[in-house]
């Protein structure tokens, strides 16, 4: 069974930056796209970014407010994927999830991932 584990969340002041990390096991990591999405209470999942299996393409965030503030990267040797978020705003407060795609390319929506981790909470204070 695929194991996905996120880390790096916490309480951050507005304007700050955060780096989230994700470790994946029991999966041929090099063959799968990896992504991040977030979900705030009572809201739908929101795609943040996704990187294909060769790191040749990256999917932009759904929200215009995220575009230009996030950087996704992956290390196929370490089976990890990271997400950097800059210039955090209170609206970024949510549970952040790492997810594996079913194949090598990013899915169309954040509901189409094959497996996700338990999430890591990010809270941005004003």
């Amino acid at each position: 069974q695929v194991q996905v584990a996120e880390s790096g969340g916490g309480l951050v002041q507005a304007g700050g930056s955060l780096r989230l990390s994700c470790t994946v096991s029991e999966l041929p990591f090099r063959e799968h796209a990896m992504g991040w999405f977030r979900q705030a209470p009572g809201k739908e999942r929101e795609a943040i970014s996704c990187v294909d299996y060769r790191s040749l393409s990256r999917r932009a965030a759904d929200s215009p407010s995220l575009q230009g503030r996030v950087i996704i990267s992956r290390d196929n040797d370490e089976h990890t994927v990271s997400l950097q978020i800059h210039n955090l705003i209170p609206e970024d407060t949510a549970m952040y999830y790492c997810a594996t795609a079913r194949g090598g390319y990013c899915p169309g929506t954040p509901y189409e991932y094959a497996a996700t981790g338990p999430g890591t909470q990010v809270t941005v204070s004003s």
Side-chain angles (χ1 to χ4, degrees), residues 24-53:
V24 181
S25 60
E26 308 302 326
L27 180 82
F29 187 82
R30 296 173 184 271
E31 299 175 10
H32 291 260
M34 295 295 303
W36 289 88
F37 65 89
R38 66 186 184 184
Q39 189 166 23
K43 294 190 176 182
E44 297 287 324
R45 290 183 180 183
E46 183 177 41
I48 301 172
S49 192
C50 178
V51 57
D52 76 358
Y53 73 113

mmCIF file of all heavy atoms in Angstrom, residues 24-53:
data_model
loop_
_atom_site.group_PDB
_atom_site.id
_atom_site.type_symbol
_atom_site.label_atom_id
_atom_site.label_comp_id
_atom_site.label_asym_id
_atom_site.label_seq_id
_atom_site.Cartn_x
_atom_site.Cartn_y
_atom_site.Cartn_z
ATOM 1 N N VAL A 24 7.264 9.555 -0.005
ATOM 2 C CA VAL A 24 6.388 8.518 -0.545
ATOM 3 C C VAL A 24 7.128 7.183 -0.547
ATOM 4 O O VAL A 24 8.316 7.125 -0.910
ATOM 5 C CB VAL A 24 5.952 8.861 -1.984
ATOM 6 C CG1 VAL A 24 5.010 7.789 -2.525
ATOM 7 C CG2 VAL A 24 5.278 10.227 -2.028
ATOM 8 N N SER A 25 6.424 6.141 -0.141
ATOM 9 C CA SER A 25 7.019 4.808 -0.174
ATOM 10 C C SER A 25 6.021 3.823 -0.770
ATOM 11 O O SER A 25 4.842 4.115 -0.904
ATOM 12 C CB SER A 25 7.449 4.369 1.227
ATOM 13 O OG SER A 25 6.334 4.341 2.087
ATOM 14 N N GLU A 26 6.524 2.646 -1.098
ATOM 15 C CA GLU A 26 5.703 1.584 -1.688
ATOM 16 C C GLU A 26 5.089 2.019 -3.010
ATOM 17 O O GLU A 26 3.926 1.698 -3.306
ATOM 18 C CB GLU A 26 4.618 1.124 -0.711
ATOM 19 C CG GLU A 26 5.114 0.749 0.674
ATOM 20 C CD GLU A 26 6.158 -0.355 0.633
ATOM 21 O OE1 GLU A 26 6.083 -1.248 -0.224
ATOM 22 O OE2 GLU A 26 7.077 -0.312 1.492
ATOM 23 N N LEU A 27 5.869 2.757 -3.804
ATOM 24 C CA LEU A 27 5.385 3.244 -5.089
ATOM 25 C C LEU A 27 6.583 3.426 -6.010
ATOM 26 O O LEU A 27 7.633 3.876 -5.571
ATOM 27 C CB LEU A 27 4.693 4.607 -4.906
ATOM 28 C CG LEU A 27 4.134 5.266 -6.172
ATOM 29 C CD1 LEU A 27 2.763 4.648 -6.490
ATOM 30 C CD2 LEU A 27 4.012 6.757 -5.998
ATOM 31 N N PRO A 28 6.448 3.051 -7.292
ATOM 32 C CA PRO A 28 7.533 3.367 -8.243
ATOM 33 C C PRO A 28 7.525 4.861 -8.509
ATOM 34 O O PRO A 28 6.984 5.343 -9.511
ATOM 35 C CB PRO A 28 7.168 2.541 -9.477
ATOM 36 C CG PRO A 28 5.700 2.315 -9.362
ATOM 37 C CD PRO A 28 5.380 2.253 -7.906
ATOM 38 N N PHE A 29 8.130 5.587 -7.589
ATOM 39 C CA PHE A 29 8.016 7.044 -7.521
ATOM 40 C C PHE A 29 8.331 7.717 -8.851
ATOM 41 O O PHE A 29 7.640 8.648 -9.267
ATOM 42 C CB PHE A 29 8.962 7.557 -6.427
ATOM 43 C CG PHE A 29 8.831 9.012 -6.120
ATOM 44 C CD1 PHE A 29 7.839 9.472 -5.268
ATOM 45 C CD2 PHE A 29 9.719 9.936 -6.661
ATOM 46 C CE1 PHE A 29 7.714 10.826 -4.970
ATOM 47 C CE2 PHE A 29 9.613 11.287 -6.370
ATOM 48 C CZ PHE A 29 8.599 11.727 -5.516
ATOM 49 N N ARG A 30 9.362 7.236 -9.535
ATOM 50 C CA ARG A 30 9.795 7.870 -10.784
ATOM 51 C C ARG A 30 8.738 7.814 -11.879
ATOM 52 O O ARG A 30 8.834 8.539 -12.864
ATOM 53 C CB ARG A 30 11.058 7.177 -11.294
ATOM 54 C CG ARG A 30 12.250 7.305 -10.397
ATOM 55 C CD ARG A 30 13.402 6.433 -10.896
ATOM 56 N NE ARG A 30 14.529 6.492 -9.968
ATOM 57 C CZ ARG A 30 15.490 7.385 -10.041
ATOM 58 N NH1 ARG A 30 15.466 8.288 -11.007
ATOM 59 N NH2 ARG A 30 16.475 7.382 -9.170
ATOM 60 N N GLU A 31 7.755 6.969 -11.747
ATOM 61 C CA GLU A 31 6.770 6.768 -12.799
ATOM 62 C C GLU A 31 5.481 7.553 -12.572
ATOM 63 O O GLU A 31 4.557 7.467 -13.383
ATOM 64 C CB GLU A 31 6.435 5.268 -12.901
ATOM 65 C CG GLU A 31 7.638 4.410 -13.240
ATOM 66 C CD GLU A 31 7.297 2.926 -13.224
ATOM 67 O OE1 GLU A 31 6.098 2.588 -13.136
ATOM 68 O OE2 GLU A 31 8.243 2.099 -13.295
ATOM 69 N N HIS A 32 5.428 8.302 -11.481
ATOM 70 C CA HIS A 32 4.177 8.969 -11.126
ATOM 71 C C HIS A 32 4.347 10.479 -10.947
ATOM 72 O O HIS A 32 5.329 10.934 -10.348
ATOM 73 C CB HIS A 32 3.623 8.380 -9.824
ATOM 74 C CG HIS A 32 3.147 6.978 -9.970
ATOM 75 N ND1 HIS A 32 1.802 6.667 -10.129
ATOM 76 C CD2 HIS A 32 3.821 5.806 -10.009
ATOM 77 C CE1 HIS A 32 1.686 5.353 -10.248
ATOM 78 N NE2 HIS A 32 2.888 4.812 -10.184
ATOM 79 N N ALA A 33 3.384 11.211 -11.459
ATOM 80 C CA ALA A 33 3.328 12.634 -11.158
ATOM 81 C C ALA A 33 2.978 12.816 -9.686
ATOM 82 O O ALA A 33 2.335 11.950 -9.079
ATOM 83 C CB ALA A 33 2.279 13.317 -12.032
ATOM 84 N N MET A 34 3.403 13.947 -9.128
ATOM 85 C CA MET A 34 3.144 14.243 -7.722
ATOM 86 C C MET A 34 2.565 15.636 -7.601
ATOM 87 O O MET A 34 2.985 16.559 -8.317
ATOM 88 C CB MET A 34 4.447 14.167 -6.921
ATOM 89 C CG MET A 34 5.070 12.784 -6.866
ATOM 90 S SD MET A 34 4.041 11.600 -5.974
ATOM 91 C CE MET A 34 3.877 12.409 -4.382
ATOM 92 N N GLY A 35 1.634 15.789 -6.683
ATOM 93 C CA GLY A 35 1.008 17.094 -6.548
ATOM 94 C C GLY A 35 0.683 17.465 -5.114
ATOM 95 O O GLY A 35 0.822 16.645 -4.198
ATOM 96 N N TRP A 36 0.269 18.693 -4.975
ATOM 97 C CA TRP A 36 -0.195 19.221 -3.689
ATOM 98 C C TRP A 36 -1.556 19.889 -3.900
ATOM 99 O O TRP A 36 -1.777 20.556 -4.917
ATOM 100 C CB TRP A 36 0.778 20.270 -3.139
ATOM 101 C CG TRP A 36 2.082 19.723 -2.652
ATOM 102 C CD1 TRP A 36 3.210 19.508 -3.390
ATOM 103 C CD2 TRP A 36 2.404 19.355 -1.305
ATOM 104 N NE1 TRP A 36 4.212 19.022 -2.589
ATOM 105 C CE2 TRP A 36 3.744 18.926 -1.307
ATOM 106 C CE3 TRP A 36 1.713 19.364 -0.089
ATOM 107 C CZ2 TRP A 36 4.399 18.498 -0.144
ATOM 108 C CZ3 TRP A 36 2.365 18.949 1.058
ATOM 109 C CH2 TRP A 36 3.692 18.509 1.022
ATOM 110 N N PHE A 37 -2.418 19.704 -2.934
ATOM 111 C CA PHE A 37 -3.657 20.458 -2.913
ATOM 112 C C PHE A 37 -3.952 20.837 -1.472
ATOM 113 O O PHE A 37 -3.314 20.331 -0.542
ATOM 114 C CB PHE A 37 -4.815 19.662 -3.536
ATOM 115 C CG PHE A 37 -5.210 18.410 -2.794
ATOM 116 C CD1 PHE A 37 -6.163 18.456 -1.787
ATOM 117 C CD2 PHE A 37 -4.645 17.178 -3.124
ATOM 118 C CE1 PHE A 37 -6.552 17.306 -1.106
ATOM 119 C CE2 PHE A 37 -5.018 16.020 -2.456
ATOM 120 C CZ PHE A 37 -5.972 16.088 -1.446
ATOM 121 N N ARG A 38 -4.901 21.709 -1.279
ATOM 122 C CA ARG A 38 -5.265 22.110 0.079
ATOM 123 C C ARG A 38 -6.781 22.120 0.220
ATOM 124 O O ARG A 38 -7.512 22.160 -0.770
ATOM 125 C CB ARG A 38 -4.691 23.493 0.395
ATOM 126 C CG ARG A 38 -5.283 24.644 -0.421
ATOM 127 C CD ARG A 38 -4.541 25.931 -0.143
ATOM 128 N NE ARG A 38 -5.138 27.063 -0.843
ATOM 129 C CZ ARG A 38 -4.643 28.290 -0.840
ATOM 130 N NH1 ARG A 38 -3.518 28.554 -0.164
ATOM 131 N NH2 ARG A 38 -5.255 29.269 -1.504
ATOM 132 N N GLN A 39 -7.192 22.082 1.451
ATOM 133 C CA GLN A 39 -8.621 22.104 1.726
ATOM 134 C C GLN A 39 -8.865 22.801 3.054
ATOM 135 O O GLN A 39 -8.320 22.385 4.078
ATOM 136 C CB GLN A 39 -9.209 20.687 1.748
ATOM 137 C CG GLN A 39 -10.719 20.645 1.804
ATOM 138 C CD GLN A 39 -11.271 19.272 1.484
ATOM 139 O OE1 GLN A 39 -10.598 18.248 1.617
ATOM 140 N NE2 GLN A 39 -12.521 19.221 1.037
ATOM 141 N N ALA A 40 -9.658 23.831 3.007
ATOM 142 C CA ALA A 40 -10.054 24.541 4.219
ATOM 143 C C ALA A 40 -11.394 23.986 4.678
ATOM 144 O O ALA A 40 -12.152 23.437 3.867
ATOM 145 C CB ALA A 40 -10.152 26.036 3.938
ATOM 146 N N PRO A 41 -11.729 24.120 5.950
ATOM 147 C CA PRO A 41 -13.000 23.586 6.458
ATOM 148 C C PRO A 41 -14.189 24.112 5.670
ATOM 149 O O PRO A 41 -14.310 25.319 5.429
ATOM 150 C CB PRO A 41 -13.027 24.083 7.905
ATOM 151 C CG PRO A 41 -11.596 24.241 8.268
ATOM 152 C CD PRO A 41 -10.917 24.728 7.010
ATOM 153 N N GLY A 42 -15.046 23.198 5.241
ATOM 154 C CA GLY A 42 -16.250 23.577 4.526
ATOM 155 C C GLY A 42 -16.035 23.961 3.074
ATOM 156 O O GLY A 42 -16.985 24.400 2.404
ATOM 157 N N LYS A 43 -14.823 23.799 2.585
ATOM 158 C CA LYS A 43 -14.540 24.175 1.201
ATOM 159 C C LYS A 43 -14.068 22.977 0.390
ATOM 160 O O LYS A 43 -13.693 21.939 0.931
ATOM 161 C CB LYS A 43 -13.483 25.277 1.168
ATOM 162 C CG LYS A 43 -13.955 26.592 1.775
ATOM 163 C CD LYS A 43 -12.969 27.703 1.494
ATOM 164 C CE LYS A 43 -13.494 29.028 2.017
ATOM 165 N NZ LYS A 43 -12.561 30.150 1.721
ATOM 166 N N GLU A 44 -14.082 23.158 -0.933
ATOM 167 C CA GLU A 44 -13.623 22.121 -1.836
ATOM 168 C C GLU A 44 -12.088 22.052 -1.846
ATOM 169 O O GLU A 44 -11.407 22.988 -1.423
ATOM 170 C CB GLU A 44 -14.103 22.419 -3.261
ATOM 171 C CG GLU A 44 -15.609 22.429 -3.444
ATOM 172 C CD GLU A 44 -16.184 21.028 -3.393
ATOM 173 O OE1 GLU A 44 -15.539 20.079 -3.879
ATOM 174 O OE2 GLU A 44 -17.300 20.866 -2.841
ATOM 175 N N ARG A 45 -11.596 20.964 -2.336
ATOM 176 C CA ARG A 45 -10.155 20.851 -2.550
ATOM 177 C C ARG A 45 -9.715 21.889 -3.572
ATOM 178 O O ARG A 45 -10.429 22.153 -4.548
ATOM 179 C CB ARG A 45 -9.789 19.466 -3.087
ATOM 180 C CG ARG A 45 -9.956 18.342 -2.089
ATOM 181 C CD ARG A 45 -9.489 17.030 -2.708
ATOM 182 N NE ARG A 45 -9.624 15.922 -1.772
ATOM 183 C CZ ARG A 45 -9.241 14.681 -2.035
ATOM 184 N NH1 ARG A 45 -8.696 14.392 -3.217
ATOM 185 N NH2 ARG A 45 -9.392 13.741 -1.121
ATOM 186 N N GLU A 46 -8.530 22.434 -3.361
ATOM 187 C CA GLU A 46 -8.004 23.437 -4.270
ATOM 188 C C GLU A 46 -6.618 22.989 -4.718
ATOM 189 O O GLU A 46 -5.719 22.821 -3.875
ATOM 190 C CB GLU A 46 -7.925 24.790 -3.567
ATOM 191 C CG GLU A 46 -7.460 25.924 -4.435
ATOM 192 C CD GLU A 46 -7.473 27.241 -3.698
ATOM 193 O OE1 GLU A 46 -7.082 27.271 -2.507
ATOM 194 O OE2 GLU A 46 -7.868 28.253 -4.297
ATOM 195 N N ALA A 47 -6.439 22.806 -5.997
ATOM 196 C CA ALA A 47 -5.132 22.369 -6.511
ATOM 197 C C ALA A 47 -4.109 23.483 -6.320
ATOM 198 O O ALA A 47 -4.384 24.646 -6.600
ATOM 199 C CB ALA A 47 -5.249 22.006 -7.986
ATOM 200 N N ILE A 48 -2.929 23.095 -5.868
ATOM 201 C CA ILE A 48 -1.847 24.057 -5.670
ATOM 202 C C ILE A 48 -0.816 23.929 -6.780
ATOM 203 O O ILE A 48 -0.465 24.896 -7.438
ATOM 204 C CB ILE A 48 -1.180 23.857 -4.308
ATOM 205 C CG1 ILE A 48 -2.195 24.013 -3.186
ATOM 206 C CG2 ILE A 48 -0.023 24.849 -4.145
ATOM 207 C CD1 ILE A 48 -1.649 23.648 -1.819
ATOM 208 N N SER A 49 -0.308 22.749 -6.968
ATOM 209 C CA SER A 49 0.671 22.513 -8.018
ATOM 210 C C SER A 49 0.859 21.017 -8.208
ATOM 211 O O SER A 49 0.492 20.218 -7.348
ATOM 212 C CB SER A 49 2.012 23.171 -7.668
ATOM 213 O OG SER A 49 2.862 23.180 -8.799
ATOM 214 N N CYS A 50 1.435 20.670 -9.334
ATOM 215 C CA CYS A 50 1.711 19.277 -9.631
ATOM 216 C C CYS A 50 2.899 19.238 -10.577
ATOM 217 O O CYS A 50 3.058 20.127 -11.425
ATOM 218 C CB CYS A 50 0.488 18.630 -10.266
ATOM 219 S SG CYS A 50 0.714 16.900 -10.742
ATOM 220 N N VAL A 51 3.722 18.213 -10.446
ATOM 221 C CA VAL A 51 4.878 18.059 -11.320
ATOM 222 C C VAL A 51 4.834 16.668 -11.934
ATOM 223 O O VAL A 51 4.564 15.683 -11.245
ATOM 224 C CB VAL A 51 6.194 18.303 -10.541
ATOM 225 C CG1 VAL A 51 6.339 17.385 -9.339
ATOM 226 C CG2 VAL A 51 7.400 18.202 -11.461
ATOM 227 N N ASP A 52 5.069 16.577 -13.216
ATOM 228 C CA ASP A 52 4.992 15.269 -13.874
ATOM 229 C C ASP A 52 6.192 14.407 -13.497
ATOM 230 O O ASP A 52 7.094 14.850 -12.796
ATOM 231 C CB ASP A 52 4.829 15.425 -15.376
ATOM 232 C CG ASP A 52 6.119 15.813 -16.097
ATOM 233 O OD1 ASP A 52 7.164 16.003 -15.435
ATOM 234 O OD2 ASP A 52 6.087 15.929 -17.329
ATOM 235 N N TYR A 53 6.196 13.175 -13.974
ATOM 236 C CA TYR A 53 7.193 12.214 -13.496
ATOM 237 C C TYR A 53 8.609 12.572 -13.892
ATOM 238 O O TYR A 53 9.557 12.128 -13.243
ATOM 239 C CB TYR A 53 6.819 10.813 -13.973
ATOM 240 C CG TYR A 53 7.027 10.553 -15.447
ATOM 241 C CD1 TYR A 53 7.990 9.645 -15.864
ATOM 242 C CD2 TYR A 53 6.238 11.167 -16.424
ATOM 243 C CE1 TYR A 53 8.178 9.371 -17.205
ATOM 244 C CE2 TYR A 53 6.412 10.908 -17.759
ATOM 245 C CZ TYR A 53 7.387 10.006 -18.152
ATOM 246 O OH TYR A 53 7.566 9.740 -19.485
#
